[in-house]
Amino acid sequence: DGGITQSPKYLFRKEGQNVTLSCEQNLNHDAMYWYRQDPGQGLRLIYYSQIVNDFQKGDIAEGYSVSREKKESFPLTVTSAQKNPTAFYLCASSPTSTTPGEQYFGPGTRLTVT
Amino acid sequence: AQSVTQPDIHITVSEGASLELRCNYSYGATPYLFWYVQSPGQGLQLLLKYFSGDTLVQGIKGFEAEFKRSQSSFNLRKPSVHWSDAAEYFCAVGDSGGSNYKLTFGKGTLLTVNP
């Protein structure tokens, strides 16, 4: 059963702590993406990766970091430098980022920082 | 830079009524256009997409959308809404050039369906 998994679904952290959100896909897709969603703001791109060991900043990368050591995995770390980290985070993948195609989304992780 | 505008933040319709959700895009070349749907607390599901060819595209769940280049629009329609269609809908435009293909999303339209 192919798809994208994100864990955990809900995550709570204290201010000042780094936190890592997991994203795994078994679709054999080359490209993976991280989005942040806030009410009334749509989806904003944080980071994306075309291939293993390569990634690019999106529109709102400040305060976030990523790694792509395996094709299947693209974890996102929300650092203490992110000024407003409470949000809903969505991971997506697509077969490639060099030709147009739809993106497939995971179920999301809701992060609450207090 | 490409952009997407969804003019309606919230729409309420009665079950069985017809639906049209508006989407306008700004992009210099031929756009790649998508409509996604999101149920509360869930990820996004693709409803339909337009790459080229017939400007009226059919999607899942009885939805369709029409690409109108002259109006820079890609409106989503459904002839008869079901209560299960209540969700948030996002229009997106894809960059057809460059080495890195990305999507730009609108801010979404929340659909409420009254019984």
Side-chain angles (χ1 to χ4, degrees):
Chain A
D1 192 18
I4 301 176
T5 57
Q6 292 186 243
S7 60
K9 188 162 182 64
Y10 299 95
L11 193 52
F12 298 88
R13 281 294 183 270
K14 295 291 188 185
E15 195 173 318
Q17 294 179 335
N18 292 355
V19 59
T20 298
L21 283 59
S22 168
C23 177
E24 304 277 333
Q25 55 100 357
N26 60 5
L27 300 168
N28 200 33
H29 286 173
D30 286 329
M32 297 187 74
Y33 309 81
W34 273 106
Y35 293 91
R36 172 183 172 132
Q37 186 178 21
D38 298 281
Q41 294 299 312
L43 277 70
R44 292 182 289 171
L45 183 64
I46 304 172
Y47 268 97
Y48 63 102
S49 168
Q50 292 179 275
I51 57 172
V52 173
N53 292 324
D54 183 63
F55 47 83
Q56 287 81 40
K57 293 182 179 180
D59 301 318
I60 55 165
E62 185 175 350
Y64 299 98
S65 66
V66 294
S67 63
R68 186 89 186 274
E69 297 177 2
K70 297 186 300 182
K71 186 175 185 178
E72 303 78 25
S73 179
F74 191 41
L76 173 75
T77 297
V78 185
T79 75
S80 56
Q82 168 49 233
K83 299 217 179 343
N84 187 17
T86 294
F88 190 54
Y89 290 88
L90 287 160
C91 178
S93 71
S94 65
T96 174
S97 73
T98 55
T99 57
E102 64 264 35
Q103 293 179 13
Y104 299 79
F105 283 81
T109 292
R110 184 165 300 280
L111 173 65
T112 302
V113 177
T114 58
Chain B
Q2 59 204 39
S3 65
V4 177
T5 301
Q6 294 180 246
D8 303 304
I9 296 173
H10 187 192
I11 284 182
T12 300
V13 300
S14 297
E15 191 168 17
S18 63
L19 172 70
E20 182 169 29
L21 302 182
R22 296 183 290 165
C23 173
N24 294 99
Y25 66 90
S26 173
Y27 186 63
T30 299
Y32 295 89
L33 296 161
F34 306 83
W35 274 100
Y36 283 86
V37 61
Q38 184 182 34
S39 297
Q42 300 298 316
L44 276 66
Q45 181 184 21
L46 180 71
L47 284 175
L48 47 78
K49 62 187 178 186
Y50 171 79
F51 283 6
S52 65
D54 193 346
T55 56
L56 183 64
V57 294
Q58 303 296 320
I60 62 171
K61 305 186 180 187
F63 285 93
E64 67 177 26
E66 186 171 12
F67 170 58
K68 293 185 177 180
R69 184 187 300 275
S70 62
Q71 299 178 18
S72 297
S73 69
F74 189 55
N75 294 349
L76 182 71
R77 301 194 295 247
K78 187 169 185 178
S80 177
V81 170
H82 188 261
W83 64 266
S84 61
D85 293 324
E88 190 155 23
Y89 292 79
F90 293 93
C91 181
V93 60
D95 189 341
S96 60
S99 61
N100 296 311
Y101 173 70
K102 296 178 288 181
L103 295 183
T104 298
F105 287 84
K107 294 187 177 182
T109 297
L110 181 64
L111 175 65
T112 298
V113 180
N114 287 335

